[in-house]
Amino acid sequence: MCNLITATLFFYFSRFLIRLALPIFLRRLFVVNPGRVPGKGPLLLASNHPDSFFDALVIGASLNQMIHTLARGDAFRKPSVAFWLRQIKLIPVFRGSEGRQHVKNLDVTTRESLAAMKEGDAVVVFSEGVCVNEWRLRPLGKGTARMAHQAWFGDDSLKDMLVIPTGMNYEHYRGTGKRVAIRFGEPIKRNDLTTDPEEYEKWLREFNDILQDRMSHEILTLSPELSQAERLVRMNEFFGPNSIPSKGNPLFQAIGWLGRAIHRPLYHLFTKKVGKITAKTVFYDSALFGLLLYLYPAIVLILSIIAGILAGFWAGLTLFVALPLLAWMGNRFR
């Protein structure tokens, strides 16, 4: 019981920290068409997956209702780790490619997802099935379609469930100072499909065709052959003409420079460590944000306590407030 209470507090504390940290980590975050996401479920958010666990963090912090996210099953192999992942509302999903012994767990994943939606929560599924740092929508797997079919036509069905096509769009995949846009597409309803649900494979294909079409409208697509200048033009068009924040007046520019100068040694220390840990993987942003999320507040608190001891309470309090503010201004006024 004590562990459950602690884990629940950890979940809400983490969500609070993420919402505070994202404005510092990101240059701008846009949530486009939030009105297409009802305030309560059952909802299935079908998203692309370009930036690993960071995708789920941004989606979860952008919506008010409880969010459950399907995550790679191999992350749950250690019971102690699995317990905490469960408390932050992650649901393990095992692919057949991970071993025949895990095929039976696909039904468990579906049951847990449907149970969450029956409680009025939203479930995030990454419909491409894999994560790649690139600017395009990859071919969709059948997992989202199967879950939708089970929800709409299975036992104890959720006929009013909506599938929300979701596009995660990033300016880059390496650290702070990026523009990010979450775009919600036109919801897919049960009656949008014309195929008889008894024709299972044909129904799955029609669902995927509709989902692929609606998701593609919400995702930034860039050809690898584009030059750096051409890519920047396309990004500016996609994010919008006012998506780059104003550099502000000379005073704000000076404060921004000071904020970057103060934080640069610490930031470089983090990026160097994360770069080694995540080499040749897609986890750079996730690892960097995770480390900063929990270690940066601790570092600020320790420095503030030291300042308070040496120079008095008000000096410590000023430092506690000033450091995160300088970090935000350093990212905002470049």
Side-chain angles (χ1 to χ4, degrees):
M1 184 64 179
C2 182
N3 283 343
L4 182 59
I5 294 173
T6 303
T8 303
L9 291 174
F10 174 75
F11 169 77
Y12 285 107
F13 178 67
S14 297
R15 191 171 189 174
F16 172 73
L17 277 183
I18 291 168
R19 288 178 171 176
L20 286 180
L22 281 176
I24 298 176
F25 191 83
L26 304 177
R27 195 173 189 188
R28 290 289 294 274
L29 173 61
F30 304 93
V31 181
V32 182
N33 297 322
R36 289 175 170 172
V37 184
K40 56 183 179 180
L43 298 175
L44 185 62
L45 274 65
S47 175
N48 60 325
H49 198 22
D51 206 11
S52 185
F53 290 107
F54 194 62
D55 296 329
L57 297 179
V58 177
I59 294 173
S62 302
L63 300 176
N64 290 324
Q65 69 191 104
M66 185 66 73
I67 303 291
H68 303 254
T69 305
L70 271 60
R72 291 174 48 162
D74 54 1
F76 292 76
R77 287 176 180 169
K78 292 185 178 180
S80 58
V81 174
F83 174 81
W84 289 104
L85 293 179
R86 290 282 191 178
Q87 305 320 307
I88 58 174
K89 309 303 179 183
L90 296 187
I91 299 174
V93 54
F94 296 91
R95 298 186 297 266
S97 60
E98 296 177 36
R100 294 183 61 184
Q101 71 274 20
H102 293 310
V103 173
K104 64 180 184 299
N105 291 328
L106 292 173
D107 291 334
V108 176
T109 300
T110 300
R111 286 200 300 271
E112 290 188 16
S113 300
L114 295 179
M117 287 190 282
K118 287 176 183 176
E119 295 296 323
D121 297 343
V123 172
V124 178
V125 56
F126 296 111
S127 301
E128 296 165 310
V130 295
C131 174
V132 181
N133 294 155
E134 61 183 5
W135 292 275
R136 71 182 179 100
L137 177 61
R138 300 178 65 85
L140 304 183
K142 293 183 178 180
T144 307
R146 291 192 181 106
M147 189 173 295
H149 189 279
Q150 180 66 25
W152 282 329
F153 305 108
D155 297 335
D156 198 16
S157 63
L158 299 170
K159 296 181 180 180
D160 58 341
M161 184 198 74
L162 297 178
V163 179
I164 311 293
T166 304
M168 293 298 303
N169 303 278
Y170 296 86
E171 187 171 12
H172 60 77
Y173 301 104
R174 300 291 292 185
T176 64
K178 61 166 126 292
R179 291 173 288 178
V180 177
I182 307 176
R183 297 175 58 97
F184 297 112
E186 181 183 352
I188 302 174
K189 304 180 181 67
R190 183 173 183 256
N191 294 331
D192 287 347
L193 283 82
T194 59
T195 302
D196 187 334
E198 295 295 327
E199 299 182 69
Y200 185 64
E201 291 299 328
K202 185 179 178 181
W203 189 96
L204 295 182
R205 288 195 296 271
E206 184 187 2
F207 178 92
N208 266 6
D209 288 342
I210 295 174
L211 180 60
Q212 182 99 20
D213 178 66
R214 296 191 186 183
M215 287 181 69
S216 65
H217 287 90
E218 312 304 330
I219 293 171
L220 172 64
T221 302
L222 297 176
S223 169
E225 286 74 31
L226 290 177
S227 67
Q228 192 72 18
E230 291 171 328
R231 177 173 294 184
L232 180 59
V233 169
R234 292 287 302 278
M235 284 187 173
N236 291 339
E237 291 174 349
F238 182 86
F239 285 108
N242 299 317
S243 63
I244 300 177
S246 167
K247 293 184 178 180
N249 58 45
L251 175 60
F252 284 176
Q253 291 181 36
I255 296 175
W257 178 88
L258 178 63
R260 291 191 298 275
I262 290 173
H263 286 86
R264 187 171 293 117
L266 178 63
Y267 182 67
H268 282 176
L269 180 65
F270 276 96
T271 55
K272 185 177 180 180
K273 181 67 174 179
V274 169
K276 289 182 179 179
I277 295 174
T278 63
K280 298 181 180 180
T281 73
V282 295
F283 300 113
Y284 183 88
D285 268 357
S286 303
L288 179 60
F289 184 76
L291 285 176
L292 290 171
L293 180 67
Y294 293 109
L295 293 184
Y296 179 71
I299 292 170
V300 170
L301 180 61
I302 291 171
L303 292 176
S304 300
I305 291 173
I306 294 173
I309 293 172
L310 296 178
F313 171 80
W314 290 110
L317 181 61
T318 300
L319 188 65
F320 183 78
V321 174
L323 281 176
L325 182 60
L326 284 170
W328 176 79
M329 295 191 73
N331 211 8
R332 171 67 173 77
F333 299 105
R334 290 176 174 270

